[in-house]
Amino acid sequence: MISLSKSIRWLFCLLLTLAAAFPAPAISAAAAEPLALGSSEFYYLAGHMEVLKDPSRSMDFKKALEAYGRGEFLPLPGTLNAGYGRNAYWIHFTLKRGVAFPEKSMLSLSPSYTNSVKVYVQRQGRSPLLPSSFSPVLLGSDVPVAERPVLNPNFVIPLDLQADEPVEVFVRVYSKGSISLTGQVATYGSLRNSTYYSIMIQFGYLGIAAVLCVMNLIFFFAIRDRLLLYLVLYVFTVLVNNLAVSGMSTLLFPNHAHLISDYMVYMGIGAQVLVFSEFSYHLFHDFAGLWLLRYIRFMSVVGVLTIISVSLGFYASVVPFALIGIIILITMLLLTSKKLLVSMPQSGIFITVAFGISMLGYFFQIFRLIGIIPLEPGWEINMVEPATLVHMVLISIALSERFRITERQLADASRLSEKRAVEIAEDMTGELRENKERLEVALAAEHLSAERQNQFLTMLSHEYRTPLAIIQGNLDILAINSENGGEEESQELQKMRRAVARLVDVMDVSLMQNRMLDLQVVGTSTIICADEFIRQQVDAVRWMWPERSFTLHSELVEESVFGEAPLLNTALFNILDNAQKYSPCDTAIEIRTWADGDFVMISVSNGIAGISIGDSESLFDKYRRGACSHDTSGAGVGLWLVRKIIEEHGGTVKMNSAAHGRISVGLAIPVERGETPYCQKK
C-alpha cells in the first residue's frame, strides 16, 4: 500500500516537473508583427498579439490607446492565457489583407465563457491614434445573444478589410474565471465549416453523455445502487458545464444564455468536484485508507464552497485550490485503484484506466486554465471532454461488469441456499415423521389413560355417593325425630344438610369428567327462582368461610331462570370462591342482583389481591391462572367452567374493573318468561 505522504510527495514532484516543462511564456521587447492575410482560408492570431495588464480594471479605451502610443503594450509569443486573477487585459493586433484574401471576412474570438470581451476595430481611412476612429463591439458571455453581430458559439465580428491597408484592433478581456483569449481571422466559408464541425462534435459528445446518463439512471432505478446515481449526477454536471464552456448554450437557449452562463460554467465546476468526490468515496470506500477517505470528504466540502463562491464573489480565489485538489484526488485514486486489480481483476482494470485517462485530461485542462500550458492554435479543445467521455464509458462498463459478477455470485448463493433449504426440508420432514410416530404413540397412551381415568371417576363417583346417601339418610332420621319431639331442626343440622347438598352438586359437576369436557350432554333442566338460588349460594359460602364478609343486595322479586340447578350452583359458587380466594382478607365481597330486561344480572365485586385486570379475558381460558396465583390452590378450570355453564344457558360472563381498586365479575342469565309458581313475591 502506498501511504498518503509518499503519494503527495510524488504528486508534488510531478507538478514541479510539469511547471518546468511548461514555463510561463516570456515576453520580449520587440513589437508584434502584423497578421498578413494571404491565400489561406484562415489565420490564427497567436504570435501577432500584444498585451497590456490593467490591475485596476478601470482603464478605458482612450487610456489604452494612449498607452499603446507610449509603447506600453508588450508582445505575446502565443495567445493570452493569464489563469485566474482579478486583472483585466488589453490586447492589440494589426491585420493586413493581401489581394488573395477576401475583403469580407470574420474575426472569431474564444473561449466562449469569457464574461466581457470589448472589441474596437479601426475604420478604414481613419487615424489609428484617435478613439473616434474605432468601431466598438460589445461581446462576452454576459451579453445577450440578440445583441451580438453573429449567432455563433464563439464571439464573431464581421470585418471589411481594404487590400494592403493595415487595420488596428484592440480587445479588452475580463472574466470572473480563467482569463484567456485566442482567435482567428477566417473567410465566411471557412468559419461556417469549422462551426458546423464544432457543433457536430459537441452535440455528438452531448448525445453520448445523455445516453450514458439515461442508461445509468435506468440501471439505478432497477438496482438501487448509489454508485449509479452518483455517476448519473457526475455525467449530468459535466454535460451542463460543457454546454456553456463550448458555447452550445447560445444556440440552445439564445434568450437566456447570458443569464445562466456563469452558473453553468462556474457552479458546474464546483458541482463536478462535489459529485466526483462523492462518487469516488462510495466506489473506493472498501479499499481506501482512513486519510484518503477524509480527504475525499474534504474535497466534497471544497466543491460546495466553490458553488457558493460564485454568488459571493470569491470564485477566482477558491477554484484554483479546487482544481489542484481534484488533481491530487485523481492521482490518489489512481494509485489506490491498484487494489481493485487484486480484488476485482475484471472491473478493476476498467476503473484504473478510466481514472488514468481522467487524470491526463484534467492535468492538461487545469494547467491550461491556470496559465502553465499556453493556449496554442489547434489545441483550443476542452481536453476534459474526451477524457470524461472515456471515463464515463469505462466506469459504466466497470459497474456493469461488477453487477454481472455480483449477479453471478448471488445466483450461486441462491443455488446454494436452495440446496441447503432442500436439505433442511428433508431433515425437517424426517423429524416430523418421527414426531408424528411419537405423537401417535402418545395419543394412544392418552386415550388409554383417559379411559382408565373415566373408569376410575365412575367408580369413585359410585363409591362416594354411598357414604353421602348414608349421611343423608341419618340426617332425615334426625329431622323426623326433631319433628316428633316438637323441636325445630337445629342450625347445625341445617348446615349439615347444605354441606351434603353441596357435595352432591360437586359430584354431579366436577367428578364426572365427561360433563366437564362436554357440556352438550343432556341434563335435567328446571325452572329456578333466581333470588332463592342466589341466596342459597351466598349462605353456603358464608357458612364455609365465616371469617369473610359477604354482602348481598338483591333487587330481584319474581324473576326465574331455566337451567340445570347443579351447574348454575357450581358456576355461582366458583365465582364466589375466586372472590374470597383472590381478595384481601379484610375486604368485603359484594353481591348485587337485579333484572335488566330479559336477563337476570349478578355482579360479584371484590378487592384485587391476586388478579390483574390486564389478565381478565385470558383468565377464562382453560388451565389458565393469574400471575399472582402461585400461593393458591386450583387447576385453572374454574372460570373456564363458569363461562361454559353460563354460555350453555344462553348467558354471558364478563370481568371488569370497579371503583376504588376493585374488580367485578358480571353474569347475565336469560329470564324465564313462562309460569313461575315457585317464586313468591317477597
Side-chain angles (χ1 to χ4, degrees):
M1 176 181 178
I2 299 177
S3 64
L4 182 63
S5 59
K6 291 182 179 179
S7 300
I8 292 179
R9 287 198 299 268
W10 178 87
L11 180 62
F12 183 71
C13 294
L14 179 62
L15 293 177
L16 292 178
T17 302
L18 288 174
F22 298 98
I27 299 177
S28 63
E33 294 290 335
L35 177 59
L37 306 177
S39 59
S40 180
E41 292 187 349
F42 61 91
Y43 292 87
Y44 288 110
L45 298 178
H48 301 277
M49 295 188 293
E50 298 172 324
V51 63
L52 175 65
K53 181 187 294 187
D54 178 17
S56 65
R57 304 194 303 274
S58 61
M59 182 181 296
D60 57 12
F61 177 59
K62 181 179 179 181
K63 293 181 180 180
L65 196 60
E66 293 174 353
Y68 174 73
R70 294 192 297 268
E72 297 180 5
F73 277 71
L74 301 177
L76 282 173
T79 59
L80 176 64
N81 193 14
Y84 291 92
R86 297 182 177 277
N87 303 315
Y89 291 86
W90 282 92
I91 301 295
H92 167 261
F93 54 89
T94 303
L95 303 178
K96 189 174 182 180
R97 183 180 75 87
V99 293
F101 196 81
E103 182 179 351
K104 304 290 185 181
S105 59
M106 293 287 187
L107 172 63
S108 176
L109 301 176
S110 60
S112 57
Y113 56 82
T114 305
N115 292 102
S116 176
V117 179
K118 296 180 179 179
V119 183
Y120 298 85
V121 181
Q122 179 189 357
R123 296 188 181 96
Q124 295 290 339
R126 300 290 184 92
S127 172
L129 301 179
L130 299 176
S132 58
S133 301
F134 291 81
S135 300
V137 179
L138 183 60
L139 299 171
S141 61
D142 294 342
V143 177
V145 177
E147 298 179 9
R148 299 183 186 181
V150 178
L151 178 60
N152 193 281
N154 293 326
F155 305 126
V156 177
I157 304 171
L159 296 177
D160 189 359
L161 304 176
Q162 298 295 326
D164 298 326
E165 184 176 341
V167 175
E168 307 294 337
V169 180
F170 290 86
V171 181
R172 182 186 183 274
V173 182
Y174 174 73
S175 185
K176 301 174 185 176
S178 175
I179 300 177
S180 57
L181 186 72
T182 185
Q184 61 175 328
V185 178
T187 63
Y188 280 92
S190 174
L191 182 63
R192 181 182 63 249
N193 293 336
S194 63
T195 301
Y196 288 163
Y197 177 74
S198 176
I199 291 175
M200 285 190 297
I201 291 178
Q202 292 299 327
F203 276 104
Y205 169 80
L206 297 175
I208 295 174
V211 169
L212 289 174
C213 190
V214 173
M215 181 182 67
N216 286 287
L217 187 62
I218 294 173
F219 288 160
F220 165 72
F221 285 115
I223 304 175
R224 297 293 179 179
D225 191 316
R226 283 187 296 178
L227 273 176
L228 289 171
L229 179 60
Y230 284 122
L231 181 60
V232 169
L233 293 176
Y234 175 65
V235 174
F236 180 74
T237 55
V238 172
L239 189 150
V240 171
N241 178 258
N242 187 73
L243 281 176
V245 170
S246 63
M248 292 297 105
S249 57
T250 61
L251 303 179
L252 297 175
F253 320 107
N255 296 328
H256 305 90
H258 63 289
L259 301 175
I260 62 177
S261 176
D262 284 358
Y263 300 102
M264 294 174 68
V265 176
Y266 306 133
M267 285 188 174
I269 292 178
Q272 287 183 58
V273 173
L274 171 62
V275 178
F276 182 81
S277 300
E278 289 299 313
F279 172 75
S280 302
Y281 182 86
H282 289 87
L283 180 61
F284 289 90
H285 184 271
D286 298 330
F287 306 97
L290 177 62
W291 287 103
L292 178 55
L293 293 177
R294 290 178 177 176
Y295 179 73
I296 295 175
R297 285 301 191 198
F298 170 74
M299 288 306 302
S300 297
V301 176
V302 172
V304 174
L305 291 176
T306 305
I307 295 174
I308 297 174
S309 66
V310 177
S311 300
L312 300 181
F314 55 91
Y315 171 80
S317 301
V318 174
V319 71
F321 296 99
L323 296 177
I324 295 298
I326 206 69
I327 289 179
I328 297 175
L329 176 58
I330 293 175
T331 305
M332 296 300 299
L333 295 178
L334 180 61
L335 297 175
T336 307
S337 63
K338 293 181 179 180
K339 296 182 179 180
L340 297 177
L341 296 175
V342 178
S343 59
M344 295 186 301
Q346 295 178 333
S347 58
I349 186 64
F350 291 106
I351 296 176
T352 303
V353 174
F355 278 97
I357 294 176
S358 294
M359 185 182 70
L360 295 177
Y362 275 101
F363 261 107
F364 184 90
Q365 188 67 16
I366 291 172
F367 286 152
R368 195 180 74 177
L369 290 175
I370 62 179
I372 296 178
I373 300 178
L375 189 63
E376 295 296 340
W379 291 92
E380 300 92 344
I381 184 173
N382 185 354
M383 294 302 294
V384 175
E385 293 182 11
T388 54
L389 184 61
V390 176
H391 177 88
M392 291 183 293
V393 173
L394 292 178
I395 290 294
S396 298
I397 295 174
L399 293 180
S400 301
E401 181 67 18
R402 193 179 76 160
F403 294 141
R404 187 181 65 82
I405 295 174
T406 304
E407 184 179 7
R408 184 170 63 248
Q409 293 174 347
L410 291 176
D412 295 339
S414 177
R415 285 193 294 269
L416 182 60
S417 300
E418 183 179 358
K419 181 180 179 181
R420 181 58 181 163
V422 171
E423 294 175 355
I424 294 174
E426 292 176 352
D427 294 341
M428 293 180 64
T429 302
E431 293 178 2
L432 290 174
R433 190 180 298 110
E434 294 176 0
N435 292 335
K436 178 183 178 184
E437 294 174 356
R438 296 194 192 101
L439 183 60
E440 290 175 351
V441 174
L443 288 175
E446 183 179 358
H447 287 316
L448 180 60
S449 175
E451 183 178 352
R452 290 176 179 176
Q453 183 181 10
N454 288 333
Q455 292 175 357
F456 172 75
L457 290 174
T458 302
M459 180 185 67
L460 181 62
S461 177
H462 180 269
E463 297 299 329
Y464 195 33
R465 287 178 183 275
T466 300
L468 287 178
I470 295 173
I471 295 173
Q472 182 68 40
N474 284 283
L475 289 175
D476 292 340
I477 294 172
L478 291 175
I480 293 172
N481 291 335
S482 297
E483 292 177 359
N484 293 336
E487 298 178 359
E488 292 184 359
E489 187 175 3
S490 65
Q491 185 175 3
E492 288 76 7
L493 188 60
Q494 293 178 1
K495 291 181 179 180
M496 293 176 66
R497 283 181 176 277
R498 290 175 180 172
V500 171
R502 171 62 185 162
L503 287 174
V504 172
D505 288 343
V506 170
M507 287 300 303
D508 288 342
V509 178
S510 301
L511 290 179
M512 293 301 293
Q513 183 73 2
N514 60 331
R515 293 300 305 275
M516 291 180 65
L517 298 176
D518 189 3
L519 294 178
Q520 300 298 328
V521 177
V522 179
T524 303
S525 298
T526 59
I527 297 177
I528 304 170
C529 180
D531 184 67
E532 180 181 351
F533 135 72
I534 295 170
R535 289 181 183 276
Q536 287 177 356
Q537 293 304 311
V538 174
D539 290 342
V541 295
R542 283 173 177 168
W543 174 77
M544 294 182 66
W545 299 291
E547 71 280 2
R548 300 304 303 269
S549 174
F550 293 88
T551 59
L552 174 63
H553 304 281
S554 178
E555 300 177 6
L556 298 176
V557 184
E558 298 179 341
E559 291 79 8
S560 300
V561 296
F562 183 77
E564 297 183 54
L567 295 179
L568 291 176
N569 289 339
T570 299
L572 183 55
F573 179 82
N574 285 349
I575 294 296
L576 296 172
D577 183 24
N578 278 356
Q580 66 84 24
K581 187 184 299 183
Y582 297 106
S583 64
C585 296
D586 57 349
T587 59
I589 300 170
E590 299 180 356
I591 303 99
R592 292 184 60 249
T593 63
W594 69 95
D596 185 5
D598 295 335
F599 290 90
V600 170
M601 309 298 295
I602 305 172
S603 174
V604 180
S605 66
N606 59 276
I608 301 175
I611 300 176
S612 173
I613 189 60
D615 301 333
S616 60
E617 189 62 28
S618 63
L619 290 176
F620 289 98
D621 296 338
K622 191 175 182 181
Y623 305 127
R624 177 62 183 271
R625 306 192 71 199
C628 300
S629 61
H630 57 276
D631 57 348
T632 59
S633 61
V637 296
L639 290 179
W640 170 79
L641 188 60
V642 170
R643 172 167 282 183
K644 289 293 184 182
I645 292 173
I646 298 302
E647 289 180 350
E648 181 66 20
H649 287 76
T652 57
V653 182
K654 190 174 183 181
M655 185 179 293
N656 297 304
S657 61
H660 307 296
R662 298 174 66 83
I663 192 171
S664 67
V665 178
L667 283 70
I669 306 174
V671 173
E672 175 60 33
R673 294 301 185 183
E675 296 291 334
T676 57
Y678 307 104
C679 295
Q680 301 297 326
K681 185 174 181 180
K682 294 180 288 187

